[in-house]
Amino acid sequence: MNGLRAVTLALLCCLSLVAGVPVAADGAQASSTEHGDSNVVSAGNTSEYLAIPESDIDRTSTARGQLDVAAAVSSNTATIRTQSTEIALRGVMRGSDNETERQAAVRRTADRLDTRIQRLESRERRAISGYAAGEITVTQLLRTLAVVDAEARELDGLVTTLYRQNSRLDEPVLSRQEFGTFRARLLPLYGPVRQHLEETTRTGDGQRVYLETGDANIALATVDEPSIENPQYVRETHIRGARGSAEQSGLTAEEVEQRFAQLYPWTEENQEGGIQIGRYGGPPHHFTYAGVWPLDIGHSHAATTPALVTFFDGTTADVFYELQFKDPTLVPTTTVENTTTDGDLRLVVNTTRAGGPLGIAVLDNETGERVDAAVDVNGDSLGTTDSRRLWTVAPRGDLTVNATHGGRTVSVETRLD
């Protein structure tokens, strides 16, 4: 099984284990709340998506992760460090009958966790800022994101261990709000596209990734298994400014549902399976104590169920983090073909938007059948179409697609914004 698809399945298994509170399919209506505009964008006749405002975009790239021994070693080191912290905590909890010592061990572990999260947050911010300023390359940024992803996942596991040990105390020293805050801070530091990058540092076998940054915000997207019949478009976006400073939520579950219907009208109207609201990712389920409302939903363009996972901030009423899982064969596209044919060869490109799915097929003009052709996008080889439609992620700006079959090459040029 491809790594990214396995990551998606693992995420969805976690979601299914905590099914959440179902909301009636016809329960949400467009809200007339006082909250203003958000960064959720309509994509036409398909699901809306969280985006960096056009005016804030600093830099974009389309690149692949790379085999990177140093990054892989850093990821392993993070795992060992976290395991060592967990072993030390369990040792005190099992070996001591002194409540004060046990409380001190829990608090000490929490302090270490807080410090490590701060370091990860700073490391990612510095890398994004450095990339936006042209101080580091896209390869260096992708490497950093891969390493941060690996450690953030380990630390999220440490939160669960810490929660269980804290619960064993006669007088717990950590509150639900503290646990919720730990998880809310870690949440945007890892995701399915980032984990794909982390796996690529070990294997060297990765798909093209679209990367967009602006004002310390970041969006990542890729297409998993692009040459098979059921490809999966995956996107993750983090908008830092949408996260409020207050930790307690000012919204109720009903208001979150209404806000969702306001921001995601197509998705709400085309939902499948109902909305799950207020729970996410396994215990401890404390996001709402930190002012965060997770919401997940399936829809008619889904590659998986759920197809969309959003995280609302309870004070700003905006989405600050979002995951998308879509079937690119189901979304509406614009067809661009080569204006001239080379013999009986025709290149058909299905476009959406910058950072969105991009489909490529090569046809025999006489029969209309797809043929096997070698394809490149802006000089980056994608391999062959295998007589199918090949899916990848679209770059921003000028786009040149070349396809070669039987010694003949045809091209399409267009632009995506």
Side-chain angles (χ1 to χ4, degrees):
M1 177 180 292
N2 177 272
L4 181 54
R5 190 168 294 277
V7 172
T8 303
L9 289 175
L11 169 66
L12 300 182
C13 285
C14 287
L15 288 168
S16 66
L17 288 172
V18 288
V21 183
V23 178
D26 58 353
Q29 300 294 327
S31 172
S32 58
T33 131
E34 72 276 12
H35 300 297
D37 295 337
S38 82
N39 296 309
V40 176
V41 176
S42 171
N45 188 29
T46 189
S47 61
E48 298 80 6
Y49 63 97
L50 185 64
I52 300 172
E54 291 285 337
S55 59
D56 291 342
I57 295 175
D58 297 317
R59 191 176 175 191
T60 68
S61 295
T62 307
R64 299 175 189 267
Q66 297 182 359
L67 183 68
D68 192 320
V69 175
V73 170
S74 294
S75 299
N76 290 336
T77 300
T79 299
I80 295 170
R81 185 186 302 121
T82 302
Q83 291 175 345
S84 176
T85 301
E86 291 181 343
I87 291 170
L89 174 60
R90 290 192 181 104
V92 174
M93 298 299 289
R94 292 172 181 170
S96 176
D97 294 327
N98 186 303
E99 178 76 358
T100 301
E101 288 182 2
R102 287 152 59 91
Q103 288 177 329
V106 168
R107 175 53 67 185
R108 184 166 56 250
T109 303
D111 291 342
R112 289 174 179 172
L113 175 62
D114 178 67
T115 298
R116 289 180 65 182
I117 294 174
Q118 287 183 37
R119 289 173 179 170
L120 282 187
E121 291 170 330
S122 297
R123 182 174 185 178
E124 183 184 87
R125 281 196 300 268
R126 287 197 305 270
I128 292 174
S129 298
Y131 167 77
E135 297 168 356
I136 67 172
T137 66
V138 63
T139 300
Q140 291 172 309
L141 176 56
L142 294 182
R143 178 190 301 130
T144 298
L145 295 176
V147 173
V148 168
D149 175 276
E151 184 163 0
R153 289 178 189 277
E154 292 295 330
L155 293 181
D156 196 56
L158 178 58
V159 173
T160 300
T161 299
L162 186 60
Y163 169 72
R164 291 171 179 165
Q165 299 304 323
N166 184 67
S167 300
R168 293 179 59 195
L169 294 170
D170 295 334
E171 296 183 10
V173 295
L174 299 177
S175 67
R176 292 176 176 179
Q177 182 175 332
E178 287 176 285
F179 283 111
T181 300
F182 282 143
R183 299 205 74 196
R185 290 169 61 195
L186 285 167
L187 178 68
L189 297 176
Y190 66 93
V193 183
R194 294 166 189 244
Q195 188 167 7
H196 170 70
L197 293 170
E198 196 273 329
E199 290 176 348
T200 303
T201 66
R202 304 172 187 274
T203 66
D205 182 21
Q207 305 297 341
R208 298 169 75 247
V209 172
Y210 175 80
L211 169 69
E212 185 173 278
T213 62
D215 196 23
N217 303 316
I218 186 167
L220 297 158
T222 193
V223 173
D224 182 30
E225 302 277 20
S227 61
I228 64 173
E229 292 298 330
N230 56 336
Q232 175 179 240
Y233 171 77
V234 185
R235 177 183 171 94
E236 57 179 88
T237 308
H238 180 206
I239 305 294
R240 297 178 190 275
R243 183 78 169 102
S245 57
E247 293 180 336
Q248 291 294 335
S249 175
L251 297 179
T252 65
E254 182 180 3
E255 289 170 335
V256 172
E257 181 191 357
Q258 292 173 345
R259 182 62 168 160
F260 178 83
Q262 179 189 46
L263 299 180
Y264 295 85
W266 184 95
T267 308
E268 197 274 337
E269 291 171 7
N270 292 272
Q271 64 174 282
E272 295 181 352
I275 299 174
Q276 307 296 326
I277 188 169
R279 296 168 71 88
Y280 169 80
H285 309 301
H286 291 154
F287 279 117
T288 55
Y289 292 97
V292 173
W293 284 96
L295 184 151
D296 61 87
I297 186 172
H299 58 69
S300 57
H301 291 168
T304 58
T305 300
L308 172 67
V309 186
T310 63
F311 296 85
F312 284 83
D313 182 270
T315 54
T316 66
D318 283 332
V319 179
F320 70 93
Y321 186 60
E322 179 196 84
L323 302 174
Q324 294 261 358
F325 306 95
K326 298 174 71 170
D327 182 344
T329 68
L330 299 178
V331 302
T333 61
T334 299
T335 300
V336 183
E337 300 185 24
N338 55 309
T339 54
T340 60
T341 60
D342 186 344
D344 57 1
L345 203 60
R346 181 158 53 98
L347 173 60
V348 179
V349 177
N350 299 99
T351 66
T352 51
R353 64 179 191 277
L358 179 72
I360 302 166
V362 183
L363 282 65
D364 183 309
N365 243 352
E366 294 183 359
T367 66
E369 298 293 326
R370 292 175 183 169
V371 300
D372 190 24
V375 174
D376 72 72
V377 174
N378 287 355
D380 181 15
S381 174
L382 300 186
T384 62
T385 61
D386 195 24
S387 301
R388 300 176 178 175
R389 182 165 51 174
L390 184 66
W391 287 96
T392 186
V393 66
R396 179 176 292 273
D398 293 334
L399 169 67
T400 300
V401 179
N402 297 310
T404 301
H405 169 77
R408 303 187 308 278
T409 299
V410 287
S411 302
V412 160
E413 295 183 357
T414 188
R415 181 176 178 83
L416 297 175
D417 296 313

